[in-house]
Amino acid sequence: MAPRDRGSPSSLVSWAAALLLALGVEGGMALPEICIQCPGSVQNLSEMALYCKQTPGLVLHARCCLNQKGTILGLDLQNCSLKDPGPHFPQAHTAIIIDLQANPLKDDLASTFRGFTQLHTLILPQDVSCPGGINAWDTVTFYTNNQTCQGQRNLCNSTGDPEMCPENGSCVSDGPGLLQCVCADGFHGYKCMRQGSFSLLMFFGILGSTTLSISILLWGTQRRKAKAS
């Protein structure tokens, strides 16, 4: 088989797509704050950089790996002197791979990863536990300077408790080791026991009438105090 010519149409299309993606990130898209939270660029041999370079349609920009829509699929904040991931960290909830090694992080990160349902690979300092514990991951591997949590498990499939959620609700994953119960269509309220759509008109009507009643009561009280004085 003859080698493919570098100037072939297919190679030119691939090159043009990558160029347009990079230009789109540079010019047309506002970069999420989490991508520029830490100064410096990503190391070429980092796990996130390798994933980004080997996956078609993705581009490295600052500390993030982005797709054509600007969605974060990878985040590398290693060696950023972070005690916690910071307020902008939820912007990376779509990430598949995150690297936080070489940071003085606090050990309990469970709530930090709420909503990170797509996360597959998480690299942490060796003294920081995988969020959700070892039961929340398929494999936890320890190395000299870090540990890797891989294969986030859906604990809804492994709890073995069919009554964990109410009859009209279902269990869905909400991140490593985190679950939530979601009401089925047509149900809402406490334990999903109320049927029918939630009436915003009724809610705000009751709220408004209650607020008005309290305001009138306070106004009358103030009037009586003013007359007495």
PDB file of all heavy atoms in Angstrom, residues 125-149:
ATOM      1  N   PRO A 125      -2.932  13.814  44.687  1.00  0.00           N
ATOM      2  CA  PRO A 125      -1.760  13.570  45.532  1.00  0.00           C
ATOM      3  C   PRO A 125      -1.938  12.251  46.281  1.00  0.00           C
ATOM      4  O   PRO A 125      -3.061  11.808  46.538  1.00  0.00           O
ATOM      5  CB  PRO A 125      -1.772  14.766  46.497  1.00  0.00           C
ATOM      6  CG  PRO A 125      -2.557  15.820  45.803  1.00  0.00           C
ATOM      7  CD  PRO A 125      -3.591  15.097  44.999  1.00  0.00           C
ATOM      8  N   GLN A 126      -0.836  11.643  46.650  1.00  0.00           N
ATOM      9  CA  GLN A 126      -0.893  10.312  47.264  1.00  0.00           C
ATOM     10  C   GLN A 126      -1.634  10.316  48.597  1.00  0.00           C
ATOM     11  O   GLN A 126      -2.255   9.311  48.982  1.00  0.00           O
ATOM     12  CB  GLN A 126       0.517   9.761  47.443  1.00  0.00           C
ATOM     13  CG  GLN A 126       0.558   8.274  47.758  1.00  0.00           C
ATOM     14  CD  GLN A 126       1.970   7.763  47.901  1.00  0.00           C
ATOM     15  OE1 GLN A 126       2.793   8.370  48.590  1.00  0.00           O
ATOM     16  NE2 GLN A 126       2.278   6.657  47.250  1.00  0.00           N
ATOM     17  N   ASP A 127      -1.614  11.444  49.326  1.00  0.00           N
ATOM     18  CA  ASP A 127      -2.235  11.487  50.647  1.00  0.00           C
ATOM     19  C   ASP A 127      -3.686  11.964  50.624  1.00  0.00           C
ATOM     20  O   ASP A 127      -4.274  12.209  51.666  1.00  0.00           O
ATOM     21  CB  ASP A 127      -1.417  12.387  51.585  1.00  0.00           C
ATOM     22  CG  ASP A 127      -1.297  13.812  51.058  1.00  0.00           C
ATOM     23  OD1 ASP A 127      -1.598  14.048  49.865  1.00  0.00           O
ATOM     24  OD2 ASP A 127      -0.894  14.702  51.835  1.00  0.00           O
ATOM     25  N   VAL A 128      -4.269  12.080  49.456  1.00  0.00           N
ATOM     26  CA  VAL A 128      -5.665  12.504  49.317  1.00  0.00           C
ATOM     27  C   VAL A 128      -6.484  11.338  48.784  1.00  0.00           C
ATOM     28  O   VAL A 128      -6.155  10.755  47.754  1.00  0.00           O
ATOM     29  CB  VAL A 128      -5.790  13.719  48.373  1.00  0.00           C
ATOM     30  CG1 VAL A 128      -7.259  14.104  48.185  1.00  0.00           C
ATOM     31  CG2 VAL A 128      -5.003  14.897  48.915  1.00  0.00           C
ATOM     32  N   SER A 129      -7.548  10.993  49.487  1.00  0.00           N
ATOM     33  CA  SER A 129      -8.369   9.842  49.113  1.00  0.00           C
ATOM     34  C   SER A 129      -9.227  10.148  47.891  1.00  0.00           C
ATOM     35  O   SER A 129      -9.642  11.288  47.671  1.00  0.00           O
ATOM     36  CB  SER A 129      -9.283   9.439  50.275  1.00  0.00           C
ATOM     37  OG  SER A 129      -8.530   9.154  51.437  1.00  0.00           O
ATOM     38  N   CYS A 130      -9.495   9.108  47.119  1.00  0.00           N
ATOM     39  CA  CYS A 130     -10.398   9.250  45.982  1.00  0.00           C
ATOM     40  C   CYS A 130     -11.781   9.634  46.497  1.00  0.00           C
ATOM     41  O   CYS A 130     -12.279   9.042  47.458  1.00  0.00           O
ATOM     42  CB  CYS A 130     -10.496   7.939  45.201  1.00  0.00           C
ATOM     43  SG  CYS A 130      -8.967   7.454  44.374  1.00  0.00           S
ATOM     44  N   PRO A 131     -12.443  10.632  45.904  1.00  0.00           N
ATOM     45  CA  PRO A 131     -13.775  11.028  46.372  1.00  0.00           C
ATOM     46  C   PRO A 131     -14.757   9.864  46.289  1.00  0.00           C
ATOM     47  O   PRO A 131     -14.819   9.162  45.288  1.00  0.00           O
ATOM     48  CB  PRO A 131     -14.165  12.158  45.406  1.00  0.00           C
ATOM     49  CG  PRO A 131     -13.280  11.992  44.215  1.00  0.00           C
ATOM     50  CD  PRO A 131     -12.010  11.405  44.727  1.00  0.00           C
ATOM     51  N   GLY A 132     -15.497   9.666  47.357  1.00  0.00           N
ATOM     52  CA  GLY A 132     -16.426   8.551  47.404  1.00  0.00           C
ATOM     53  C   GLY A 132     -15.827   7.272  47.938  1.00  0.00           C
ATOM     54  O   GLY A 132     -16.541   6.301  48.177  1.00  0.00           O
ATOM     55  N   GLY A 133     -14.483   7.251  48.121  1.00  0.00           N
ATOM     56  CA  GLY A 133     -13.819   6.038  48.608  1.00  0.00           C
ATOM     57  C   GLY A 133     -13.537   5.047  47.486  1.00  0.00           C
ATOM     58  O   GLY A 133     -13.930   5.244  46.338  1.00  0.00           O
ATOM     59  N   ILE A 134     -12.878   3.956  47.836  1.00  0.00           N
ATOM     60  CA  ILE A 134     -12.470   2.982  46.818  1.00  0.00           C
ATOM     61  C   ILE A 134     -13.665   2.278  46.179  1.00  0.00           C
ATOM     62  O   ILE A 134     -13.575   1.802  45.045  1.00  0.00           O
ATOM     63  CB  ILE A 134     -11.504   1.934  47.417  1.00  0.00           C
ATOM     64  CG1 ILE A 134     -12.164   1.208  48.601  1.00  0.00           C
ATOM     65  CG2 ILE A 134     -10.214   2.608  47.871  1.00  0.00           C
ATOM     66  CD1 ILE A 134     -11.308   0.085  49.149  1.00  0.00           C
ATOM     67  N   ASN A 135     -14.801   2.240  46.879  1.00  0.00           N
ATOM     68  CA  ASN A 135     -15.981   1.579  46.316  1.00  0.00           C
ATOM     69  C   ASN A 135     -16.638   2.389  45.208  1.00  0.00           C
ATOM     70  O   ASN A 135     -17.502   1.869  44.490  1.00  0.00           O
ATOM     71  CB  ASN A 135     -17.007   1.307  47.413  1.00  0.00           C
ATOM     72  CG  ASN A 135     -16.527   0.264  48.404  1.00  0.00           C
ATOM     73  OD1 ASN A 135     -15.784  -0.644  48.047  1.00  0.00           O
ATOM     74  ND2 ASN A 135     -16.930   0.405  49.661  1.00  0.00           N
ATOM     75  N   ALA A 136     -16.234   3.644  45.064  1.00  0.00           N
ATOM     76  CA  ALA A 136     -16.819   4.493  44.028  1.00  0.00           C
ATOM     77  C   ALA A 136     -16.065   4.386  42.709  1.00  0.00           C
ATOM     78  O   ALA A 136     -16.472   5.007  41.719  1.00  0.00           O
ATOM     79  CB  ALA A 136     -16.856   5.944  44.496  1.00  0.00           C
ATOM     80  N   TRP A 137     -14.977   3.590  42.684  1.00  0.00           N
ATOM     81  CA  TRP A 137     -14.135   3.490  41.485  1.00  0.00           C
ATOM     82  C   TRP A 137     -13.833   2.026  41.163  1.00  0.00           C
ATOM     83  O   TRP A 137     -13.768   1.192  42.061  1.00  0.00           O
ATOM     84  CB  TRP A 137     -12.822   4.258  41.694  1.00  0.00           C
ATOM     85  CG  TRP A 137     -13.030   5.688  42.037  1.00  0.00           C
ATOM     86  CD1 TRP A 137     -13.224   6.213  43.283  1.00  0.00           C
ATOM     87  CD2 TRP A 137     -13.124   6.774  41.121  1.00  0.00           C
ATOM     88  NE1 TRP A 137     -13.412   7.571  43.200  1.00  0.00           N
ATOM     89  CE2 TRP A 137     -13.363   7.948  41.889  1.00  0.00           C
ATOM     90  CE3 TRP A 137     -13.023   6.895  39.735  1.00  0.00           C
ATOM     91  CZ2 TRP A 137     -13.488   9.209  41.301  1.00  0.00           C
ATOM     92  CZ3 TRP A 137     -13.156   8.149  39.156  1.00  0.00           C
ATOM     93  CH2 TRP A 137     -13.384   9.282  39.930  1.00  0.00           C
ATOM     94  N   ASP A 138     -13.626   1.771  39.880  1.00  0.00           N
ATOM     95  CA  ASP A 138     -13.262   0.413  39.462  1.00  0.00           C
ATOM     96  C   ASP A 138     -11.858   0.060  39.944  1.00  0.00           C
ATOM     97  O   ASP A 138     -11.630  -1.044  40.447  1.00  0.00           O
ATOM     98  CB  ASP A 138     -13.338   0.283  37.935  1.00  0.00           C
ATOM     99  CG  ASP A 138     -14.770   0.314  37.428  1.00  0.00           C
ATOM    100  OD1 ASP A 138     -15.678  -0.068  38.197  1.00  0.00           O
ATOM    101  OD2 ASP A 138     -14.982   0.724  36.275  1.00  0.00           O
ATOM    102  N   THR A 139     -10.926   0.991  39.782  1.00  0.00           N
ATOM    103  CA  THR A 139      -9.548   0.747  40.211  1.00  0.00           C
ATOM    104  C   THR A 139      -8.960   2.001  40.846  1.00  0.00           C
ATOM    105  O   THR A 139      -9.223   3.123  40.390  1.00  0.00           O
ATOM    106  CB  THR A 139      -8.645   0.337  39.019  1.00  0.00           C
ATOM    107  OG1 THR A 139      -8.664   1.364  38.021  1.00  0.00           O
ATOM    108  CG2 THR A 139      -9.117  -0.978  38.416  1.00  0.00           C
ATOM    109  N   VAL A 140      -8.173   1.798  41.892  1.00  0.00           N
ATOM    110  CA  VAL A 140      -7.407   2.868  42.534  1.00  0.00           C
ATOM    111  C   VAL A 140      -5.963   2.402  42.579  1.00  0.00           C
ATOM    112  O   VAL A 140      -5.641   1.395  43.210  1.00  0.00           O
ATOM    113  CB  VAL A 140      -7.922   3.172  43.953  1.00  0.00           C
ATOM    114  CG1 VAL A 140      -7.047   4.242  44.607  1.00  0.00           C
ATOM    115  CG2 VAL A 140      -9.378   3.621  43.915  1.00  0.00           C
ATOM    116  N   THR A 141      -5.088   3.134  41.887  1.00  0.00           N
ATOM    117  CA  THR A 141      -3.690   2.731  41.753  1.00  0.00           C
ATOM    118  C   THR A 141      -2.790   3.752  42.435  1.00  0.00           C
ATOM    119  O   THR A 141      -2.912   4.960  42.185  1.00  0.00           O
ATOM    120  CB  THR A 141      -3.296   2.610  40.271  1.00  0.00           C
ATOM    121  OG1 THR A 141      -4.230   1.761  39.595  1.00  0.00           O
ATOM    122  CG2 THR A 141      -1.902   2.030  40.140  1.00  0.00           C
ATOM    123  N   PHE A 142      -1.892   3.266  43.291  1.00  0.00           N
ATOM    124  CA  PHE A 142      -0.969   4.137  44.013  1.00  0.00           C
ATOM    125  C   PHE A 142       0.404   4.116  43.345  1.00  0.00           C
ATOM    126  O   PHE A 142       0.927   3.053  43.009  1.00  0.00           O
ATOM    127  CB  PHE A 142      -0.835   3.697  45.472  1.00  0.00           C
ATOM    128  CG  PHE A 142      -2.091   3.894  46.278  1.00  0.00           C
ATOM    129  CD1 PHE A 142      -3.052   2.895  46.341  1.00  0.00           C
ATOM    130  CD2 PHE A 142      -2.318   5.081  46.952  1.00  0.00           C
ATOM    131  CE1 PHE A 142      -4.213   3.071  47.076  1.00  0.00           C
ATOM    132  CE2 PHE A 142      -3.477   5.268  47.689  1.00  0.00           C
ATOM    133  CZ  PHE A 142      -4.424   4.264  47.749  1.00  0.00           C
ATOM    134  N   TYR A 143       0.948   5.312  43.164  1.00  0.00           N
ATOM    135  CA  TYR A 143       2.294   5.465  42.626  1.00  0.00           C
ATOM    136  C   TYR A 143       3.152   6.197  43.652  1.00  0.00           C
ATOM    137  O   TYR A 143       2.695   6.523  44.737  1.00  0.00           O
ATOM    138  CB  TYR A 143       2.250   6.243  41.304  1.00  0.00           C
ATOM    139  CG  TYR A 143       1.441   5.556  40.225  1.00  0.00           C
ATOM    140  CD1 TYR A 143       0.123   5.929  39.983  1.00  0.00           C
ATOM    141  CD2 TYR A 143       1.989   4.528  39.460  1.00  0.00           C
ATOM    142  CE1 TYR A 143      -0.632   5.305  38.996  1.00  0.00           C
ATOM    143  CE2 TYR A 143       1.251   3.897  38.469  1.00  0.00           C
ATOM    144  CZ  TYR A 143      -0.053   4.293  38.252  1.00  0.00           C
ATOM    145  OH  TYR A 143      -0.803   3.657  37.284  1.00  0.00           O
ATOM    146  N   THR A 144       4.398   6.471  43.289  1.00  0.00           N
ATOM    147  CA  THR A 144       5.329   7.094  44.230  1.00  0.00           C
ATOM    148  C   THR A 144       4.862   8.474  44.661  1.00  0.00           C
ATOM    149  O   THR A 144       4.894   8.821  45.853  1.00  0.00           O
ATOM    150  CB  THR A 144       6.730   7.205  43.599  1.00  0.00           C
ATOM    151  OG1 THR A 144       7.171   5.912  43.199  1.00  0.00           O
ATOM    152  CG2 THR A 144       7.723   7.798  44.595  1.00  0.00           C
ATOM    153  N   ASN A 145       4.387   9.285  43.702  1.00  0.00           N
ATOM    154  CA  ASN A 145       4.033  10.669  44.019  1.00  0.00           C
ATOM    155  C   ASN A 145       2.554  10.989  43.853  1.00  0.00           C
ATOM    156  O   ASN A 145       2.143  12.132  44.100  1.00  0.00           O
ATOM    157  CB  ASN A 145       4.847  11.621  43.120  1.00  0.00           C
ATOM    158  CG  ASN A 145       6.342  11.494  43.350  1.00  0.00           C
ATOM    159  OD1 ASN A 145       6.784  11.382  44.493  1.00  0.00           O
ATOM    160  ND2 ASN A 145       7.112  11.504  42.277  1.00  0.00           N
ATOM    161  N   ASN A 146       1.756  10.033  43.420  1.00  0.00           N
ATOM    162  CA  ASN A 146       0.340  10.317  43.213  1.00  0.00           C
ATOM    163  C   ASN A 146      -0.465   9.034  43.245  1.00  0.00           C
ATOM    164  O   ASN A 146       0.084   7.943  43.413  1.00  0.00           O
ATOM    165  CB  ASN A 146       0.121  11.055  41.884  1.00  0.00           C
ATOM    166  CG  ASN A 146       0.611  10.251  40.694  1.00  0.00           C
ATOM    167  OD1 ASN A 146       0.131   9.151  40.424  1.00  0.00           O
ATOM    168  ND2 ASN A 146       1.569  10.803  39.961  1.00  0.00           N
ATOM    169  N   GLN A 147      -1.762   9.175  43.099  1.00  0.00           N
ATOM    170  CA  GLN A 147      -2.643   8.023  42.948  1.00  0.00           C
ATOM    171  C   GLN A 147      -3.667   8.330  41.872  1.00  0.00           C
ATOM    172  O   GLN A 147      -4.014   9.491  41.633  1.00  0.00           O
ATOM    173  CB  GLN A 147      -3.352   7.679  44.253  1.00  0.00           C
ATOM    174  CG  GLN A 147      -4.293   8.738  44.778  1.00  0.00           C
ATOM    175  CD  GLN A 147      -5.058   8.263  46.004  1.00  0.00           C
ATOM    176  OE1 GLN A 147      -5.663   7.210  46.002  1.00  0.00           O
ATOM    177  NE2 GLN A 147      -4.982   9.053  47.079  1.00  0.00           N
ATOM    178  N   THR A 148      -4.149   7.281  41.211  1.00  0.00           N
ATOM    179  CA  THR A 148      -5.097   7.446  40.115  1.00  0.00           C
ATOM    180  C   THR A 148      -6.386   6.697  40.427  1.00  0.00           C
ATOM    181  O   THR A 148      -6.357   5.509  40.746  1.00  0.00           O
ATOM    182  CB  THR A 148      -4.503   6.934  38.787  1.00  0.00           C
ATOM    183  OG1 THR A 148      -3.299   7.652  38.494  1.00  0.00           O
ATOM    184  CG2 THR A 148      -5.487   7.137  37.649  1.00  0.00           C
ATOM    185  N   CYS A 149      -7.495   7.410  40.344  1.00  0.00           N
ATOM    186  CA  CYS A 149      -8.822   6.815  40.522  1.00  0.00           C
ATOM    187  C   CYS A 149      -9.430   6.686  39.128  1.00  0.00           C
ATOM    188  O   CYS A 149      -9.576   7.692  38.426  1.00  0.00           O
ATOM    189  CB  CYS A 149      -9.708   7.712  41.389  1.00  0.00           C
ATOM    190  SG  CYS A 149      -8.850   8.563  42.746  1.00  0.00           S
TER     191      CYS A 149
END
